[in-house]
Amino acid sequence: MIKLEHVSKTYEKGVQAITDVNLHIAPGEFVFIVGKSGSGKSTLLKLLQKELAPTHGKIFVNKRDIGNISRKNIPAYRRNIGVVFQNFRLLQDRSVYENVAFAMRVVEAPKRDIKKKVPQMLSLVGLAAKYRSYPRELSGGEQQRVAIARALVNEPRILLADEPTGNLDDTNAWEIMRLLEEINKRGTTVVVVTHNMDIVRAMNKRVVTIKKGVIVSDEEDTDDEI
């Protein structure tokens, strides 16, 4: 599903973000990527989204070398990857329904599909009754649920979540993580970048730890402090 082979990324002025990373994530896995701020976690996600290109090495997604994808085909590639951010990134002037529907309109989905899929996604994340609400009328946890529905509405095979609980209290954070776990059980590969080690320890998933751009451990569970 996801494979990195000797991937390095160097920014301008020689700043080394990640160094010689080798990583394989199988279809249907749930993987945490953890590390201190500046360790390279977010760079890794940007490489998978093809927002950045590696300085060295190759990245394969669904057995495809994404380095060979032309600029014009990047949007089509990204349709197979849902992304959830820490700050939600919702359209403030649009309703919950319209925020989710927007993701389908971007890919020119038929109206009949939008009318069918959007309510299904809102039901999945527990917000069917709030489809007319606007982001400002929702709690942080509810806004993140909308963001997850938007990320999933085009049925991507991979969901990337960058600090999805970073702006939430403990109760809402756990609700979001349980939702991501349910999504994973339905077959979606889930990759979560986080610094919340309490959640990581409790969920007993695979944990990849990055330190100064290098993978220092890759295990099913961890009891170590970062």
Side-chain angles (χ1 to χ4, degrees):
M1 176 64 72
I2 298 172
K3 188 176 183 181
L4 283 73
E5 295 182 345
H6 302 289
V7 172
S8 296
K9 176 60 182 179
T10 305
Y11 289 112
E12 294 181 3
K13 299 181 180 179
V15 177
Q16 191 75 18
I18 61 173
T19 304
D20 197 32
V21 167
N22 292 284
L23 179 66
H24 178 259
I25 298 175
E29 272 200 279
F30 189 122
V31 181
F32 283 111
I33 298 178
V34 303
K36 291 182 178 179
S37 179
S39 63
K41 306 187 303 297
S42 292
T43 294
L44 186 59
L45 289 194
K46 288 178 180 179
L47 288 167
L48 293 176
Q49 296 170 56
K50 206 166 169 54
E51 285 187 23
L52 298 173
T55 307
H56 301 288
K58 291 187 175 184
I59 301 173
F60 298 88
V61 177
N62 298 327
K63 298 183 179 180
R64 183 179 187 183
D65 183 350
I66 67 172
N68 295 329
I69 299 175
S70 64
R71 184 183 296 272
K72 69 177 182 179
N73 288 325
I74 289 176
Y77 162 73
R78 288 177 178 161
R79 291 173 194 172
N80 289 314
I81 300 178
V83 184
V84 178
F85 302 95
Q86 177 176 341
N87 59 358
F88 320 136
R89 298 194 185 182
L90 300 178
L91 301 170
Q92 297 299 311
D93 61 344
R94 303 196 188 193
S95 67
V96 166
Y97 182 97
E98 287 300 321
N99 264 277
V100 179
F102 180 77
M104 296 190 72
R105 293 196 173 101
V106 166
V107 301
E108 300 180 347
K111 289 183 178 180
R112 64 180 180 277
D113 290 349
I114 295 173
K115 290 181 179 180
K116 178 181 179 182
K117 288 297 297 298
V118 173
Q120 288 177 349
M121 285 298 103
L122 291 177
S123 179
L124 174 65
V125 301
L127 290 176
K130 295 197 173 185
Y131 71 99
R132 291 182 177 176
S133 299
Y134 285 79
R136 64 180 178 274
E137 299 171 325
L138 304 178
S139 68
E142 288 171 334
Q143 290 186 62
Q144 191 62 290
R145 286 173 176 269
V146 176
I148 291 171
R150 181 182 59 190
L152 291 174
V153 74
N154 289 321
E155 299 182 347
R157 298 174 65 183
I158 299 169
L159 179 66
L160 306 178
D162 191 359
E163 299 285 3
T165 64
N167 289 337
L168 305 179
D169 59 31
D170 286 346
T171 299
N172 280 307
W174 275 110
E175 288 181 356
I176 292 302
M177 294 314 301
R178 282 192 285 268
L179 177 57
L180 293 178
E181 189 170 38
E182 175 60 29
I183 290 164
N184 174 245
K185 289 178 180 178
R186 292 170 177 251
T188 303
T189 302
V190 176
V191 180
V192 178
V193 162
T194 185
H195 64 271
N196 190 328
M197 293 307 295
D198 290 335
I199 284 177
V200 172
R201 292 190 187 95
M203 290 190 68
N204 193 31
K205 305 293 185 182
R206 180 181 172 192
V207 181
V208 175
T209 304
I210 299 181
K211 184 175 182 180
K212 296 181 179 179
V214 177
I215 293 180
V216 294
S217 70
D218 185 348
E219 51 195 36
E220 291 303 315
D221 193 14
T222 183
D223 291 320
D224 298 328
E225 291 287 348
I226 294 175

